[in-house]
Amino acid sequence: MDGNDMKVAVYYGNVAIVTFHSDFHLKFGEDLAVINEQESLVFVKTENGDWKIVHEHHSPLNAS
């Protein structure tokens, strides 16, 4: 898996939004699945300082 064009924005020190283009190559037996998507992840920092994903979104990435 590769994460290309990654951008991270942190708001108020406890919320972060990460966007990137994924490039997954998954092999199931002899079958290869290639998944290219635009992904967005929303993280929230918990009271004990851990970052947790609270939302994610996947959209097809149109190759130009």
Side-chain angles (χ1 to χ4, degrees):
M1 178 211 153
D2 285 322
N4 302 311
D5 301 320
M6 185 175 291
K7 294 178 179 61
V8 178
V10 179
Y11 300 94
Y12 306 108
N14 61 359
V15 175
I17 299 174
V18 179
T19 60
F20 61 96
H21 299 153
S22 67
D23 185 14
F24 291 103
H25 292 241
L26 306 169
K27 192 160 188 180
F28 300 98
E30 296 299 315
D31 297 327
L32 178 65
V34 177
I35 302 168
N36 296 110
E37 297 180 322
Q38 168 71 37
E39 299 196 30
S40 300
L41 305 174
V42 178
F43 291 80
V44 171
K45 189 183 256 186
T46 64
E47 290 180 3
N48 64 357
D50 295 330
W51 287 94
K52 301 288 183 181
I53 296 173
V54 296
H55 179 77
E56 60 183 274
H57 182 79
H58 305 260
S59 297
L61 183 62
N62 296 328
S64 46

Short mmCIF file of all heavy atoms in Angstrom, two decimals:
data_model
loop_
_atom_site.label_atom_id
_atom_site.label_comp_id
_atom_site.label_asym_id
_atom_site.label_seq_id
_atom_site.Cartn_x
_atom_site.Cartn_y
_atom_site.Cartn_z
N MET A 1 0.84 -1.18 0.00
CA MET A 1 0.00 0.00 0.00
C MET A 1 0.88 1.24 0.00
O MET A 1 1.85 1.30 0.74
CB MET A 1 -0.89 0.01 1.24
CG MET A 1 -1.76 1.22 1.32
SD MET A 1 -2.06 1.66 3.02
CE MET A 1 -2.34 3.37 2.83
N ASP A 2 0.53 2.18 -0.83
CA ASP A 2 1.18 3.48 -0.83
C ASP A 2 0.13 4.54 -0.55
O ASP A 2 -1.02 4.43 -1.00
CB ASP A 2 1.83 3.78 -2.18
CG ASP A 2 3.11 3.00 -2.40
OD1 ASP A 2 3.87 2.84 -1.42
OD2 ASP A 2 3.35 2.56 -3.53
N GLY A 3 0.53 5.58 0.16
CA GLY A 3 -0.32 6.75 0.37
C GLY A 3 0.35 7.93 -0.30
O GLY A 3 1.38 8.40 0.18
N ASN A 4 -0.20 8.38 -1.40
CA ASN A 4 0.41 9.46 -2.19
C ASN A 4 -0.31 10.78 -1.95
O ASN A 4 -1.50 10.80 -1.64
CB ASN A 4 0.35 9.10 -3.68
CG ASN A 4 1.04 7.79 -3.97
OD1 ASN A 4 2.16 7.57 -3.55
ND2 ASN A 4 0.36 6.91 -4.68
N ASP A 5 0.40 11.87 -2.12
CA ASP A 5 -0.17 13.23 -1.98
C ASP A 5 -0.82 13.45 -0.62
O ASP A 5 -1.86 14.07 -0.52
CB ASP A 5 -1.17 13.52 -3.11
CG ASP A 5 -0.57 13.41 -4.48
OD1 ASP A 5 0.59 13.84 -4.65
OD2 ASP A 5 -1.22 12.87 -5.39
N MET A 6 -0.19 12.93 0.43
CA MET A 6 -0.76 13.03 1.77
C MET A 6 -0.70 14.46 2.30
O MET A 6 0.30 15.15 2.16
CB MET A 6 -0.03 12.10 2.73
CG MET A 6 -0.67 12.07 4.11
SD MET A 6 0.08 10.87 5.22
CE MET A 6 -0.46 9.36 4.45
N LYS A 7 -1.82 14.87 2.89
CA LYS A 7 -1.93 16.17 3.54
C LYS A 7 -2.53 15.95 4.92
O LYS A 7 -3.47 15.18 5.09
CB LYS A 7 -2.79 17.12 2.72
CG LYS A 7 -2.17 17.48 1.39
CD LYS A 7 -3.08 18.39 0.58
CE LYS A 7 -2.46 18.79 -0.73
NZ LYS A 7 -2.16 17.69 -1.63
N VAL A 8 -1.97 16.63 5.92
CA VAL A 8 -2.45 16.52 7.30
C VAL A 8 -2.75 17.93 7.80
O VAL A 8 -1.91 18.82 7.70
CB VAL A 8 -1.40 15.86 8.22
CG1 VAL A 8 -1.91 15.79 9.65
CG2 VAL A 8 -1.03 14.47 7.70
N ALA A 9 -3.95 18.10 8.35
CA ALA A 9 -4.33 19.37 8.96
C ALA A 9 -4.79 19.09 10.39
O ALA A 9 -5.63 18.21 10.60
CB ALA A 9 -5.45 20.05 8.17
N VAL A 10 -4.21 19.80 11.36
CA VAL A 10 -4.57 19.63 12.77
C VAL A 10 -5.29 20.88 13.23
O VAL A 10 -4.83 22.01 13.00
CB VAL A 10 -3.32 19.37 13.65
CG1 VAL A 10 -3.72 19.21 15.11
CG2 VAL A 10 -2.57 18.14 13.15
N TYR A 11 -6.43 20.68 13.88
CA TYR A 11 -7.26 21.79 14.35
C TYR A 11 -7.37 21.72 15.87
O TYR A 11 -7.72 20.68 16.43
CB TYR A 11 -8.66 21.71 13.74
CG TYR A 11 -8.63 21.77 12.23
CD1 TYR A 11 -8.63 20.61 11.47
CD2 TYR A 11 -8.58 22.99 11.56
CE1 TYR A 11 -8.59 20.66 10.08
CE2 TYR A 11 -8.54 23.05 10.18
CZ TYR A 11 -8.54 21.88 9.46
OH TYR A 11 -8.50 21.93 8.08
N TYR A 12 -7.06 22.82 16.54
CA TYR A 12 -7.22 22.98 17.99
C TYR A 12 -6.40 21.96 18.79
O TYR A 12 -6.66 21.75 19.96
CB TYR A 12 -8.69 22.91 18.40
CG TYR A 12 -9.55 23.88 17.63
CD1 TYR A 12 -10.43 23.42 16.67
CD2 TYR A 12 -9.45 25.25 17.85
CE1 TYR A 12 -11.21 24.31 15.94
CE2 TYR A 12 -10.22 26.15 17.13
CZ TYR A 12 -11.11 25.67 16.18
OH TYR A 12 -11.87 26.54 15.46
N GLY A 13 -5.45 21.27 18.13
CA GLY A 13 -4.59 20.32 18.82
C GLY A 13 -5.20 18.97 19.11
O GLY A 13 -4.53 18.07 19.60
N ASN A 14 -6.52 18.81 18.81
CA ASN A 14 -7.14 17.53 19.14
C ASN A 14 -8.00 16.93 18.02
O ASN A 14 -8.64 15.91 18.22
CB ASN A 14 -7.97 17.64 20.43
CG ASN A 14 -9.09 18.65 20.31
OD1 ASN A 14 -9.26 19.30 19.29
ND2 ASN A 14 -9.84 18.79 21.38
N VAL A 15 -8.02 17.56 16.87
CA VAL A 15 -8.72 17.03 15.69
C VAL A 15 -7.78 17.13 14.50
O VAL A 15 -7.12 18.15 14.32
CB VAL A 15 -10.02 17.83 15.39
CG1 VAL A 15 -10.67 17.34 14.09
CG2 VAL A 15 -11.00 17.72 16.54
N ALA A 16 -7.69 16.05 13.73
CA ALA A 16 -6.83 16.06 12.54
C ALA A 16 -7.58 15.44 11.37
O ALA A 16 -8.33 14.48 11.54
CB ALA A 16 -5.55 15.29 12.80
N ILE A 17 -7.37 16.02 10.19
CA ILE A 17 -7.92 15.47 8.96
C ILE A 17 -6.75 15.12 8.06
O ILE A 17 -5.87 15.95 7.80
CB ILE A 17 -8.87 16.46 8.27
CG1 ILE A 17 -10.05 16.78 9.18
CG2 ILE A 17 -9.35 15.90 6.92
CD1 ILE A 17 -10.97 17.85 8.67
N VAL A 18 -6.74 13.87 7.61
CA VAL A 18 -5.69 13.37 6.73
C VAL A 18 -6.33 12.99 5.40
O VAL A 18 -7.33 12.27 5.38
CB VAL A 18 -5.00 12.13 7.34
CG1 VAL A 18 -3.92 11.60 6.42
CG2 VAL A 18 -4.43 12.47 8.71
N THR A 19 -5.78 13.49 4.31
CA THR A 19 -6.25 13.11 2.98
C THR A 19 -5.08 12.55 2.19
O THR A 19 -3.94 13.00 2.35
CB THR A 19 -6.87 14.29 2.21
OG1 THR A 19 -5.89 15.31 2.06
CG2 THR A 19 -8.10 14.84 2.92
N PHE A 20 -5.35 11.57 1.35
CA PHE A 20 -4.30 10.98 0.52
C PHE A 20 -4.93 10.16 -0.60
O PHE A 20 -6.12 9.86 -0.57
CB PHE A 20 -3.35 10.12 1.35
CG PHE A 20 -4.00 8.95 2.04
CD1 PHE A 20 -3.98 7.69 1.47
CD2 PHE A 20 -4.60 9.10 3.28
CE1 PHE A 20 -4.56 6.61 2.11
CE2 PHE A 20 -5.18 8.04 3.93
CZ PHE A 20 -5.16 6.78 3.35
N HIS A 21 -4.13 9.82 -1.58
CA HIS A 21 -4.52 8.92 -2.66
C HIS A 21 -3.93 7.56 -2.34
O HIS A 21 -2.71 7.42 -2.22
CB HIS A 21 -4.00 9.40 -4.02
CG HIS A 21 -4.52 10.75 -4.39
ND1 HIS A 21 -3.82 11.59 -5.21
CD2 HIS A 21 -5.66 11.40 -4.06
CE1 HIS A 21 -4.52 12.71 -5.37
NE2 HIS A 21 -5.62 12.62 -4.67
N SER A 22 -4.79 6.56 -2.20
CA SER A 22 -4.30 5.22 -1.88
C SER A 22 -3.95 4.47 -3.16
O SER A 22 -4.50 4.71 -4.22
CB SER A 22 -5.35 4.43 -1.10
OG SER A 22 -6.48 4.17 -1.92
N ASP A 23 -3.01 3.57 -3.02
CA ASP A 23 -2.61 2.69 -4.13
C ASP A 23 -2.41 1.30 -3.52
O ASP A 23 -1.32 0.95 -3.11
CB ASP A 23 -1.34 3.21 -4.78
CG ASP A 23 -0.93 2.41 -6.01
OD1 ASP A 23 -1.76 1.62 -6.51
OD2 ASP A 23 0.21 2.55 -6.46
N PHE A 24 -3.52 0.56 -3.42
CA PHE A 24 -3.50 -0.78 -2.84
C PHE A 24 -3.36 -1.82 -3.94
O PHE A 24 -4.03 -1.75 -4.98
CB PHE A 24 -4.82 -1.09 -2.12
CG PHE A 24 -5.04 -0.32 -0.86
CD1 PHE A 24 -5.91 0.74 -0.83
CD2 PHE A 24 -4.40 -0.69 0.32
CE1 PHE A 24 -6.14 1.45 0.33
CE2 PHE A 24 -4.62 0.01 1.49
CZ PHE A 24 -5.49 1.08 1.50
N HIS A 25 -2.51 -2.79 -3.71
CA HIS A 25 -2.39 -3.95 -4.60
C HIS A 25 -2.58 -5.17 -3.70
O HIS A 25 -1.69 -5.51 -2.91
CB HIS A 25 -1.03 -4.00 -5.28
CG HIS A 25 -0.83 -2.89 -6.26
ND1 HIS A 25 -0.60 -3.11 -7.59
CD2 HIS A 25 -0.87 -1.54 -6.12
CE1 HIS A 25 -0.47 -1.96 -8.22
NE2 HIS A 25 -0.63 -0.99 -7.33
N LEU A 26 -3.75 -5.82 -3.82
CA LEU A 26 -4.08 -6.95 -2.97
C LEU A 26 -4.17 -8.21 -3.82
O LEU A 26 -4.81 -8.20 -4.88
CB LEU A 26 -5.43 -6.71 -2.28
CG LEU A 26 -5.56 -5.41 -1.51
CD1 LEU A 26 -7.00 -5.16 -1.10
CD2 LEU A 26 -4.67 -5.43 -0.29
N LYS A 27 -3.56 -9.27 -3.36
CA LYS A 27 -3.60 -10.52 -4.11
C LYS A 27 -4.37 -11.56 -3.30
O LYS A 27 -4.06 -11.80 -2.13
CB LYS A 27 -2.19 -11.02 -4.41
CG LYS A 27 -2.18 -12.14 -5.40
CD LYS A 27 -0.83 -12.29 -6.03
CE LYS A 27 -0.96 -13.31 -7.15
NZ LYS A 27 0.28 -13.52 -7.83
N PHE A 28 -5.39 -12.13 -3.93
CA PHE A 28 -6.20 -13.19 -3.35
C PHE A 28 -6.00 -14.43 -4.21
O PHE A 28 -6.57 -14.53 -5.29
CB PHE A 28 -7.68 -12.81 -3.32
CG PHE A 28 -7.96 -11.58 -2.52
CD1 PHE A 28 -8.09 -10.34 -3.14
CD2 PHE A 28 -8.09 -11.64 -1.15
CE1 PHE A 28 -8.35 -9.20 -2.40
CE2 PHE A 28 -8.34 -10.50 -0.41
CZ PHE A 28 -8.48 -9.28 -1.03
N GLY A 29 -5.16 -15.34 -3.76
CA GLY A 29 -4.82 -16.49 -4.59
C GLY A 29 -4.10 -16.00 -5.84
O GLY A 29 -3.05 -15.37 -5.76
N GLU A 30 -4.68 -16.25 -6.99
CA GLU A 30 -4.11 -15.79 -8.27
C GLU A 30 -4.71 -14.46 -8.72
O GLU A 30 -4.27 -13.88 -9.71
CB GLU A 30 -4.34 -16.85 -9.36
CG GLU A 30 -3.61 -18.16 -9.10
CD GLU A 30 -2.10 -17.96 -9.04
OE1 GLU A 30 -1.54 -17.25 -9.90
OE2 GLU A 30 -1.48 -18.53 -8.12
N ASP A 31 -5.73 -13.95 -8.02
CA ASP A 31 -6.42 -12.72 -8.42
C ASP A 31 -5.75 -11.51 -7.78
O ASP A 31 -5.46 -11.50 -6.58
CB ASP A 31 -7.89 -12.77 -8.01
CG ASP A 31 -8.64 -13.88 -8.70
OD1 ASP A 31 -8.30 -14.19 -9.86
OD2 ASP A 31 -9.56 -14.45 -8.07
N LEU A 32 -5.53 -10.48 -8.60
CA LEU A 32 -4.96 -9.22 -8.12
C LEU A 32 -6.02 -8.13 -8.17
O LEU A 32 -6.65 -7.92 -9.21
CB LEU A 32 -3.76 -8.81 -8.99
CG LEU A 32 -3.08 -7.49 -8.62
CD1 LEU A 32 -2.45 -7.58 -7.24
CD2 LEU A 32 -2.04 -7.13 -9.67
N ALA A 33 -6.22 -7.46 -7.06
CA ALA A 33 -7.14 -6.32 -7.00
C ALA A 33 -6.31 -5.06 -6.79
O ALA A 33 -5.51 -4.99 -5.86
CB ALA A 33 -8.13 -6.50 -5.86
N VAL A 34 -6.49 -4.08 -7.67
CA VAL A 34 -5.80 -2.79 -7.55
C VAL A 34 -6.85 -1.75 -7.20
O VAL A 34 -7.85 -1.59 -7.91
CB VAL A 34 -5.07 -2.42 -8.86
CG1 VAL A 34 -4.42 -1.05 -8.72
CG2 VAL A 34 -4.03 -3.47 -9.20
N ILE A 35 -6.65 -1.05 -6.09
CA ILE A 35 -7.61 -0.07 -5.61
C ILE A 35 -6.92 1.28 -5.51
O ILE A 35 -5.97 1.44 -4.73
CB ILE A 35 -8.19 -0.48 -4.24
CG1 ILE A 35 -8.85 -1.85 -4.35
CG2 ILE A 35 -9.15 0.57 -3.73
CD1 ILE A 35 -9.20 -2.47 -3.03
N ASN A 36 -7.37 2.23 -6.31
CA ASN A 36 -6.87 3.60 -6.26
C ASN A 36 -8.03 4.49 -5.85
O ASN A 36 -9.04 4.57 -6.55
CB ASN A 36 -6.33 4.04 -7.62
CG ASN A 36 -5.13 3.22 -8.03
OD1 ASN A 36 -5.23 2.43 -8.95
ND2 ASN A 36 -4.03 3.38 -7.36
N GLU A 37 -7.90 5.13 -4.69
CA GLU A 37 -8.98 5.96 -4.15
C GLU A 37 -8.44 7.24 -3.54
O GLU A 37 -7.27 7.32 -3.16
CB GLU A 37 -9.72 5.20 -3.03
CG GLU A 37 -10.41 3.95 -3.46
CD GLU A 37 -11.10 3.27 -2.29
OE1 GLU A 37 -10.57 3.26 -1.16
OE2 GLU A 37 -12.18 2.73 -2.53
N GLN A 38 -9.32 8.22 -3.44
CA GLN A 38 -9.06 9.41 -2.62
C GLN A 38 -9.63 9.06 -1.25
O GLN A 38 -10.78 8.65 -1.14
CB GLN A 38 -9.78 10.64 -3.18
CG GLN A 38 -9.81 11.83 -2.24
CD GLN A 38 -8.46 12.49 -2.06
OE1 GLN A 38 -7.69 12.58 -2.99
NE2 GLN A 38 -8.19 12.94 -0.86
N GLU A 39 -8.80 9.16 -0.22
CA GLU A 39 -9.26 8.81 1.13
C GLU A 39 -9.13 10.00 2.06
O GLU A 39 -8.19 10.78 1.96
CB GLU A 39 -8.46 7.63 1.67
CG GLU A 39 -8.63 6.40 0.80
CD GLU A 39 -8.20 5.13 1.48
OE1 GLU A 39 -8.28 5.05 2.73
OE2 GLU A 39 -7.78 4.22 0.76
N SER A 40 -10.09 10.11 2.95
CA SER A 40 -10.08 11.14 3.99
C SER A 40 -10.33 10.45 5.32
O SER A 40 -11.25 9.64 5.44
CB SER A 40 -11.18 12.18 3.75
OG SER A 40 -10.99 12.82 2.52
N LEU A 41 -9.50 10.75 6.30
CA LEU A 41 -9.64 10.20 7.65
C LEU A 41 -9.73 11.35 8.64
O LEU A 41 -8.98 12.31 8.55
CB LEU A 41 -8.43 9.34 8.01
CG LEU A 41 -8.08 8.19 7.06
CD1 LEU A 41 -6.78 7.54 7.49
CD2 LEU A 41 -9.19 7.17 7.00
N VAL A 42 -10.65 11.24 9.59
CA VAL A 42 -10.79 12.23 10.65
C VAL A 42 -10.37 11.56 11.95
O VAL A 42 -10.90 10.51 12.32
CB VAL A 42 -12.23 12.76 10.76
CG1 VAL A 42 -12.35 13.76 11.91
CG2 VAL A 42 -12.67 13.40 9.45
N PHE A 43 -9.38 12.16 12.63
CA PHE A 43 -8.87 11.65 13.90
C PHE A 43 -9.27 12.61 15.03
O PHE A 43 -9.30 13.82 14.82
CB PHE A 43 -7.34 11.59 13.89
CG PHE A 43 -6.76 10.55 12.98
CD1 PHE A 43 -6.64 10.77 11.62
CD2 PHE A 43 -6.29 9.36 13.52
CE1 PHE A 43 -6.07 9.81 10.79
CE2 PHE A 43 -5.72 8.40 12.70
CZ PHE A 43 -5.61 8.62 11.33
N VAL A 44 -9.52 12.06 16.20
CA VAL A 44 -9.76 12.86 17.40
C VAL A 44 -8.83 12.33 18.49
O VAL A 44 -8.68 11.12 18.67
CB VAL A 44 -11.23 12.76 17.86
CG1 VAL A 44 -11.43 13.41 19.22
CG2 VAL A 44 -12.15 13.39 16.83
N LYS A 45 -8.19 13.26 19.21
CA LYS A 45 -7.31 12.87 20.31
C LYS A 45 -8.16 12.65 21.55
O LYS A 45 -8.95 13.51 21.95
CB LYS A 45 -6.27 13.96 20.58
CG LYS A 45 -5.20 13.55 21.56
CD LYS A 45 -4.25 14.69 21.84
CE LYS A 45 -2.96 14.49 21.12
NZ LYS A 45 -1.96 15.52 21.49
N THR A 46 -8.00 11.47 22.17
CA THR A 46 -8.78 11.13 23.35
C THR A 46 -8.20 11.80 24.59
O THR A 46 -7.12 12.38 24.55
CB THR A 46 -8.80 9.60 23.56
OG1 THR A 46 -7.47 9.16 23.83
CG2 THR A 46 -9.35 8.88 22.34
N GLU A 47 -8.91 11.67 25.70
CA GLU A 47 -8.46 12.28 26.96
C GLU A 47 -7.11 11.75 27.42
O GLU A 47 -6.36 12.45 28.08
CB GLU A 47 -9.51 12.07 28.05
CG GLU A 47 -10.76 12.88 27.83
CD GLU A 47 -11.79 12.64 28.93
OE1 GLU A 47 -11.50 11.89 29.89
OE2 GLU A 47 -12.88 13.21 28.82
N ASN A 48 -6.78 10.49 27.05
CA ASN A 48 -5.49 9.93 27.48
C ASN A 48 -4.40 10.12 26.43
O ASN A 48 -3.31 9.55 26.55
CB ASN A 48 -5.63 8.46 27.89
CG ASN A 48 -6.04 7.56 26.75
OD1 ASN A 48 -6.28 8.00 25.64
ND2 ASN A 48 -6.15 6.27 27.03
N GLY A 49 -4.69 10.91 25.37
CA GLY A 49 -3.67 11.28 24.40
C GLY A 49 -3.56 10.39 23.17
O GLY A 49 -2.71 10.63 22.32
N ASP A 50 -4.40 9.35 23.08
CA ASP A 50 -4.39 8.49 21.90
C ASP A 50 -5.19 9.13 20.77
O ASP A 50 -6.19 9.81 21.01
CB ASP A 50 -5.02 7.13 22.21
CG ASP A 50 -4.23 6.32 23.21
OD1 ASP A 50 -2.99 6.47 23.26
OD2 ASP A 50 -4.86 5.53 23.94
N TRP A 51 -4.73 8.92 19.53
CA TRP A 51 -5.47 9.38 18.36
C TRP A 51 -6.35 8.24 17.85
O TRP A 51 -5.88 7.13 17.67
CB TRP A 51 -4.52 9.82 17.25
CG TRP A 51 -3.85 11.12 17.55
CD1 TRP A 51 -2.64 11.30 18.12
CD2 TRP A 51 -4.37 12.43 17.27
NE1 TRP A 51 -2.36 12.65 18.23
CE2 TRP A 51 -3.40 13.37 17.71
CE3 TRP A 51 -5.54 12.91 16.70
CZ2 TRP A 51 -3.58 14.74 17.59
CZ3 TRP A 51 -5.71 14.28 16.58
CH2 TRP A 51 -4.75 15.18 17.02
N LYS A 52 -7.64 8.51 17.64
CA LYS A 52 -8.59 7.50 17.17
C LYS A 52 -9.24 8.00 15.88
O LYS A 52 -9.60 9.18 15.77
CB LYS A 52 -9.70 7.26 18.20
CG LYS A 52 -9.20 6.80 19.55
CD LYS A 52 -8.71 5.39 19.49
CE LYS A 52 -8.28 4.92 20.87
NZ LYS A 52 -7.79 3.59 20.90
N ILE A 53 -9.40 7.09 14.92
CA ILE A 53 -10.15 7.43 13.70
C ILE A 53 -11.63 7.41 14.05
O ILE A 53 -12.14 6.41 14.55
CB ILE A 53 -9.86 6.43 12.57
CG1 ILE A 53 -8.39 6.50 12.15
CG2 ILE A 53 -10.76 6.72 11.36
CD1 ILE A 53 -7.98 5.43 11.15
N VAL A 54 -12.33 8.52 13.78
CA VAL A 54 -13.76 8.60 14.07
C VAL A 54 -14.60 8.65 12.80
O VAL A 54 -15.82 8.50 12.86
CB VAL A 54 -14.08 9.80 14.98
CG1 VAL A 54 -13.44 9.63 16.35
CG2 VAL A 54 -13.68 11.12 14.33
N HIS A 55 -13.94 8.86 11.66
CA HIS A 55 -14.66 8.88 10.38
C HIS A 55 -13.68 8.63 9.26
O HIS A 55 -12.53 9.06 9.33
CB HIS A 55 -15.36 10.22 10.17
CG HIS A 55 -16.11 10.31 8.87
ND1 HIS A 55 -17.33 9.69 8.70
CD2 HIS A 55 -15.80 10.88 7.70
CE1 HIS A 55 -17.75 9.92 7.45
NE2 HIS A 55 -16.84 10.64 6.83
N GLU A 56 -14.14 7.91 8.23
CA GLU A 56 -13.32 7.76 7.02
C GLU A 56 -14.23 7.77 5.81
O GLU A 56 -15.39 7.38 5.89
CB GLU A 56 -12.46 6.51 7.06
CG GLU A 56 -13.17 5.20 7.19
CD GLU A 56 -12.18 4.05 7.28
OE1 GLU A 56 -11.76 3.56 6.22
OE2 GLU A 56 -11.85 3.65 8.40
N HIS A 57 -13.68 8.26 4.72
CA HIS A 57 -14.43 8.35 3.46
C HIS A 57 -13.52 7.92 2.32
O HIS A 57 -12.35 8.28 2.29
CB HIS A 57 -14.92 9.78 3.23
CG HIS A 57 -15.72 9.91 1.97
ND1 HIS A 57 -17.04 9.53 1.90
CD2 HIS A 57 -15.36 10.33 0.75
CE1 HIS A 57 -17.46 9.74 0.66
NE2 HIS A 57 -16.47 10.22 -0.05
N HIS A 58 -14.07 7.15 1.40
CA HIS A 58 -13.33 6.64 0.23
C HIS A 58 -14.10 7.03 -1.02
O HIS A 58 -15.30 6.81 -1.09
CB HIS A 58 -13.20 5.12 0.28
CG HIS A 58 -12.59 4.61 1.53
ND1 HIS A 58 -11.28 4.24 1.61
CD2 HIS A 58 -13.10 4.41 2.77
CE1 HIS A 58 -11.01 3.82 2.83
NE2 HIS A 58 -12.11 3.92 3.56
N SER A 59 -13.40 7.59 -2.00
CA SER A 59 -14.00 7.92 -3.30
C SER A 59 -13.08 7.40 -4.39
O SER A 59 -11.86 7.42 -4.24
CB SER A 59 -14.13 9.44 -3.47
OG SER A 59 -14.99 9.98 -2.52
N PRO A 60 -13.66 6.96 -5.51
CA PRO A 60 -12.82 6.51 -6.63
C PRO A 60 -11.89 7.63 -7.07
O PRO A 60 -12.27 8.80 -7.09
CB PRO A 60 -13.81 6.15 -7.72
CG PRO A 60 -15.12 5.99 -7.04
CD PRO A 60 -15.08 6.86 -5.82
N LEU A 61 -10.66 7.27 -7.43
CA LEU A 61 -9.69 8.23 -7.92
C LEU A 61 -9.65 8.08 -9.43
O LEU A 61 -9.28 7.03 -9.94
CB LEU A 61 -8.32 7.97 -7.31
CG LEU A 61 -7.22 8.92 -7.67
CD1 LEU A 61 -7.55 10.33 -7.20
CD2 LEU A 61 -5.90 8.48 -7.05
N ASN A 62 -10.06 9.11 -10.14
CA ASN A 62 -10.04 9.08 -11.59
C ASN A 62 -8.66 9.41 -12.09
O ASN A 62 -8.15 10.50 -11.86
CB ASN A 62 -11.06 10.08 -12.17
CG ASN A 62 -12.48 9.71 -11.80
OD1 ASN A 62 -12.80 8.54 -11.66
ND2 ASN A 62 -13.32 10.71 -11.62
N ALA A 63 -8.05 8.45 -12.77
CA ALA A 63 -6.72 8.69 -13.36
C ALA A 63 -6.88 9.57 -14.59
O ALA A 63 -7.77 9.40 -15.39
CB ALA A 63 -6.06 7.37 -13.73
N SER A 64 -5.97 10.54 -14.74
CA SER A 64 -6.06 11.42 -15.90
C SER A 64 -5.13 10.96 -16.98
O SER A 64 -4.23 10.21 -16.79
CB SER A 64 -5.74 12.86 -15.51
OG SER A 64 -4.60 12.93 -14.72
#
